């Protein structure tokens, strides 16, 4: 578990599915991402069961996912995640490259919580030696997400059809 001033980042588990389901069904979350809302709580539970293993079936990636909760309330607020590929990391080859992503439920947006959660995840991955290089792909029209990433020190590196690598 990772703790910040306002958030708890809990490693994802199948038991989180009921608390995450309604928030993930909000169609506003999918304006800039190519995912679909979960079909059911059971489908989400099965997805979380796979993700809770924290490694891809071929063993080449670490799947690191945390549910965001307020330190004051038990409700789920969203999630942060990092997909880490071994090698290609920082000094001495330690650590890997992490592709980061995040979703904050509409009810929790515009309060700096996404930034706080992503920053805590990145710091955890750096300090543990898990990753030293970080990337994110964002839709070019998603101004709030681009601003969040820039505030965390990400730099624009390329533009592809409907995506920017930051």
């Amino acid at each position: 578990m990772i703790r910040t001033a306002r958030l708890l980042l809990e490693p994802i588990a199948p038991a989180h599915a009921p608390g995450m389901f309604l928030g993930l069904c909000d169609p506003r979350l999918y304006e800039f991402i190519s995912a679909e809302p979960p079909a059911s709580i059971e489908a989400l539970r099965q997805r979380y069961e796979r993700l809770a293993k924290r490694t891809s079936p071929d063993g080449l990636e670490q799947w690191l996912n945390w549910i965001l909760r307020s330190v004051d309330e038990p409700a789920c607020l969203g999630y942060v995640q990092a997909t880490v590929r071994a090698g290609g990391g920082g000094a001495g080859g330690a650590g890997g490259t992490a592709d980061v992503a995040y979703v904050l439920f509409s009810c929790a947006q515009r309060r700096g919580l996404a930034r706080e959660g992503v920053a805590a995840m990145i710091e955890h991955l750096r300090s543990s030696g898990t990753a030293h290089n970080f990337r994110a792909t964002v839709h070019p029209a998603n101004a709030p997400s681009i601003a969040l990433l820039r505030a965390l020190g990400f730099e624009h590196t390329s533009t592809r059809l409907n995506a920017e690598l930051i």
Side-chain angles (χ1 to χ4, degrees):
M1 181 147 352
I2 303 168
R3 185 183 180 104
T4 71
R6 298 182 294 165
L7 295 172
L8 295 175
L9 284 69
E10 298 177 7
I12 203 165
H16 288 117
M20 292 290 289
F21 181 73
L22 285 178
L24 289 173
C25 286
D26 182 348
R28 293 174 290 184
L29 296 181
Y30 301 92
E31 181 178 0
F32 298 115
I33 58 177
S34 61
E36 296 285 329
S40 65
I41 292 174
E42 180 57 24
L44 188 59
R45 188 195 65 72
Q46 289 174 8
R47 175 173 169 69
Y48 287 177
E49 200 169 273
R50 289 188 303 275
L51 293 175
K53 293 178 183 174
R54 301 180 66 85
T55 187
S56 62
D58 62 11
L60 297 177
E61 295 177 334
Q62 290 182 68
W63 292 343
L64 307 174
N65 298 267
W66 291 269
I67 299 300
L68 300 175
R69 290 188 193 268
S70 166
V71 295
D72 300 324
E73 300 173 23
C76 297
L77 303 175
Y79 65 85
V80 293
Q81 66 183 40
T83 301
V84 183
R85 286 167 197 77
T97 297
D99 286 307
V100 301
Y102 43 89
V103 168
L104 197 68
F105 297 158
S106 298
C107 63
Q109 292 177 2
R110 308 224 186 294
R111 294 189 278 163
L113 295 172
R115 180 178 176 180
E116 188 173 327
V118 174
M121 175 185 67
I122 288 173
E123 176 56 31
H124 172 76
L125 295 173
R126 275 194 179 123
S127 66
S128 67
T130 302
H132 296 288
N133 299 307
F134 299 89
R135 303 185 303 195
T137 302
V138 60
H139 191 285
N142 190 345
S145 193
I146 291 169
L148 180 154
L149 292 167
R150 288 205 171 126
L152 291 174
F154 284 69
E155 297 176 7
H156 180 265
T157 59
S158 68
T159 301
R160 299 186 304 237
L161 182 64
N162 294 326
E164 291 190 43
L165 188 60
I166 295 186

